[in-house]
Structures are given as structure tokens and as C-alpha cells.
């Protein structure tokens, strides 16, 4: 976790980048465009195909759920859930199902899915250690759980310039709201402790150009959390500089690492409570 032992404990966890923000649809579309290619390649390698029964948890802008619909349907099932599913309204027309569901409190179907997926969701949820076993219980025997979650700490201190300063404050703001920017590095152990088998994991650090989709996504992120950043004593000038750097096509940046970990439910029994 970021911060000293004196850091205020998260009293009232909340999601720092709510989907109701004016430009959230654009930001989530950029996130999907930047990360879907890797997610799709991995999902295909794990066997997602026509007829797969899929649960997309924390579906956000829905780009990956749309790919699941195009791939698994007809014949399979795609259930996309989110605490705020306002950007998922087109999924039923594609044959998918949408549910407004808080992963921390609401029940999920059990033992019904061949593929359960999250991307940049669990790191934000303070109750992630109770949500994870529930996602595992949603797996049918032989089903795959794939988690793609950010791990900010490995490169945080290496990020130079205004981008680095803003990223460090942003990461801290998420942790004050209940996120954990270093939890993802233990994903393989978490999956194994749940009784999943065939564990696979890797970490990728995207390197991206200013002006790219990933750069525009981060620039919009700094716009969405502008007030929070200034409350953490980042000056508006530094935020403006960081956004200008992100628009500069001659600059290259490190993104926070993405940990991708998957595990399979045994054929004979499913994960622990
Ligand atoms: C960073 S976005 C990622 C969206 C999508 N997975 C992607 O990668 O494009 C995180 C999503 O998780 C959702 N979320 C956060 N906390 C949640 C909770 N407790 N229950 C359900 N969804 C939640 C948010 O509403 C948001 O749509």
C-alpha cells in the first residue's frame, strides 16, 4: 500500500473514477481500445470461443463484453455486471445480459460460467479478498478465471516529470479510497489458495507514445480526478503540464504494470467458500 503508517485509513471506500462523469464513456472507450487487444489474445488462448458462458465483472464501457458477445454468441452466454452499467445499454441487442450489481454485496450466479473476467476492477475494491472467492465460485467445473489488474508500485518512483508526479498522487488518492496498488502481484498465490489449477501469470509494462489512445485515456483520467489531485497538493500547473506532455507525440511513457493471472476450476469440485 502507498503511504506511511500515518496515512489516513480508508473510512468509506468508494470508486474514484465513477461512470457518471461527463467524459467517462470516452475515457472507458480509450481504455478498451488500449487494452482489449491483449485481453482478447489471452482470452482466445484460454479457450473462449463460440458457446462459452462468460461473466464480465466490472464491465465499465463494455468493449470487452462486446467482443465476448461477438465471440461466444449465439450458443453461449454473456453476463456483464457493473455497479453502474449505464454504458452497457447496447449489450442486450447483441444478445448479452446486463445487471446492475455491487460485487461486494450482491449475489452472483454460482457454478455457471466457463470464463469469468475482471480488468482493473478488483484493485479498486476494498473488499477484494471477499469478492475474489465469489468470482471463483461463479465458475463451472473446468471454467477459467482471468484477472487483469494494475500494479502501480513497481515503476511509480521511476516515472519522471509531471506525468510521474501526477501518477503518484493519483495512485495515493485511489488507495485513500480503498484501492490497493500492489495487491495484483500476489494474484497467482490468491488463485492457488482458492483451489484453482493450471495457474498462469505474467506482467506487462506498456510503453506508450504521447497522443496515443493510452495517453489520451490518462489525460482524461487526470481531468476526472483534477479536484482530488489538487486536494493532495498537486498544483493545477503540474496537472496541465502532465496533460500537455501526454499530448506530445515525441514523448514516450511507462504505463503502470498490468498483472494477468488465470486459473481453472477443477473438473470435480469448485473453489473454496
Ligand atoms: C477501471 S473501470 C474498468 C472497466 C472495464 N473492466 C475495462 O477494463 O474496460 C472499473 C469498473 O469497475 C466498476 N466497479 C467498481 N466497483 C464495483 C463494485 N463494487 N461492483 C461492481 N462494479 C464495480 C466501475 O463501475 C467501473 O465500471
Amino acid at each position: 500500500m502507498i503511504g506511511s503508517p500515518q496515512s489516513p485509513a480508508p473510512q468509506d471506500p468508494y470508486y474514484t473514477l465513477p461512470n457518471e462523469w461527463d467524459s467517462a464513456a470516452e475515457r472507458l472507450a480509450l481504455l478498451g481500445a488500449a487494452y482489449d487487444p491483449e485481453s482478447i489474445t489471452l482470452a482466445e488462448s484460454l479457450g473462449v470461443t463460440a458457446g462459452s458462458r462468460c461473466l464480465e465483472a466490472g464491465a465499465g464501457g463494455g468493449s470487452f463484453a462486446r467482443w465476448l458477445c461477438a465471440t461466444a454468441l449465439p450458443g453461449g452466454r454473456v453476463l456483464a455486471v457493473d455497479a453502474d452499467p449505464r454504458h452497457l445499454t447496447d449489450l442486450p441487442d447483441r444478445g448479452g445480459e446486463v445487471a446492475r450489481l455491487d460485487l461486494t454485496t450482491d449475489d452472483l450466479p454460482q457454478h455457471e460460467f466457463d470464463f469469468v473476467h475482471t480488468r482493473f476492477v478488483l484493485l479498486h475494491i476494498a473488499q477484494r479478498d471477499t469478492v475474489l472467492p465469489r468470482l471463483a465460485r461463479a465458475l463451472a467445473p473446468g471454467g477459467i478465471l482471468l484477472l487483469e489488474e494494475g500494479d502501480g508500485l513497481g515503476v511509480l518512483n521511476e516515472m519522471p516529470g509531471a506525468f510521474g508526479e501526477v501518477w503518484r498522487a493519483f495512485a495515493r488518492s485511489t488507495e485513500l479510497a480503498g484501492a490497493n496498488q500492489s495487491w495484483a502481484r500476489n494474484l497467482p498465490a490468491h488463485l492457488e489458495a482458492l483451489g484453482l489449477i493450471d495457474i498462469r501469470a505474467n506482467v506487462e509494462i506498456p510503453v506508450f507514445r504521447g497522443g496515443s489512445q493510452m495517453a489520451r485515456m490518462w489525460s482524461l483520467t487526470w481531468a476526472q480526478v483534477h479536484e482530488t489531485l489538487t486536494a493532495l497538493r498537486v498544483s493545477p500547473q503540474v496537472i496541465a503540464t502532465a496533460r500537455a506532455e501526454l499530448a506530445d507525440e515525441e514523448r514516450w511513457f511507462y504505463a503502470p504494470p498490468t498483472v494477468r493471472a488465470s486459473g481453472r476450476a477443477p473438473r470435480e469440485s469448485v473453489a473454496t467458500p
Side-chain angles (χ1 to χ4, degrees):
M1 299 274 293
I2 295 169
S4 68
Q6 288 75 39
S7 296
Q11 297 298 319
D12 184 15
Y14 61 97
Y15 178 53
T16 37
L17 296 161
N19 293 353
E20 67 184 355
W21 182 54
D22 284 350
S23 299
E26 182 184 356
R27 183 183 162 278
L28 287 164
L30 289 166
L31 177 73
Y35 285 96
D36 281 350
E38 291 294 333
S39 301
I40 289 168
T41 300
L42 189 48
E44 285 176 333
S45 79
L46 291 167
V48 176
T49 189
S52 295
R53 297 164 295 169
C54 307
L55 170 63
E56 175 68 357
S63 60
F64 188 75
R66 277 175 211 108
W67 176 78
L68 288 174
C69 289
T71 302
L73 306 177
R77 178 182 181 193
V78 177
L79 172 60
V81 305
D82 200 288
D84 182 349
R86 72 182 64 210
H87 305 300
L88 306 175
T89 51
D90 62 308
L91 286 184
D93 290 340
R94 298 167 187 265
E97 302 160 54
V98 176
R100 178 185 299 276
L101 187 148
D102 185 337
L103 291 166
T104 66
T105 51
D106 296 328
D107 289 335
L108 289 168
Q110 294 196 17
H111 314 314
E112 289 191 11
F113 296 98
D114 305 306
F115 180 69
V116 175
H117 177 240
T118 70
R119 189 175 65 193
F120 307 135
V121 176
L122 295 179
L123 85 151
H124 288 289
I125 297 180
Q127 304 88 339
R128 61 192 72 79
D129 289 321
T130 54
V131 173
L132 182 51
R134 298 166 72 214
L135 292 173
R137 274 203 301 278
L139 293 171
I144 295 273
L145 176 59
L146 170 62
L147 307 171
E148 301 185 88
E149 298 288 336
D151 182 330
L153 297 190
V155 297
L156 264 184
N157 291 327
E158 311 305 321
M159 290 175 172
F163 176 74
E165 183 175 342
V166 173
W167 217 97
R168 284 184 283 278
F170 166 69
R172 181 165 151 70
S173 77
T174 64
E175 292 214 327
L176 290 172
N180 184 334
Q181 294 283 355
S182 54
W183 178 78
R185 67 191 62 172
N186 294 316
L187 280 179
H190 290 314
L191 295 183
E192 198 154 57
L194 289 168
L196 301 185
I197 58 175
D198 300 339
I199 310 285
R200 287 200 223 165
N202 65 38
V203 183
E204 182 191 28
I205 302 177
V207 183
F208 62 97
R209 184 191 283 283
S212 62
Q213 286 166 321
M214 202 173 288
R216 286 157 55 212
M217 187 275 291
W218 282 115
S219 186
L220 271 183
T221 304
W222 303 157
Q224 182 166 9
V225 299
H226 192 280
E227 203 174 309
T228 307
L229 293 172
T230 55
L232 287 172
R233 301 183 187 283
V234 183
S235 74
Q237 291 77 12
V238 167
I239 300 169
T241 303
R243 298 193 68 197
E245 286 178 0
L246 284 166
D248 180 351
E249 293 184 6
E250 294 190 357
R251 286 179 189 263
W252 288 85
F253 302 85
Y254 269 24
T258 306
V259 180
R260 299 186 167 97
S262 63
R264 182 187 299 279
R267 297 272 168 204
E268 58 283 4
S269 66
V270 193
T272 57

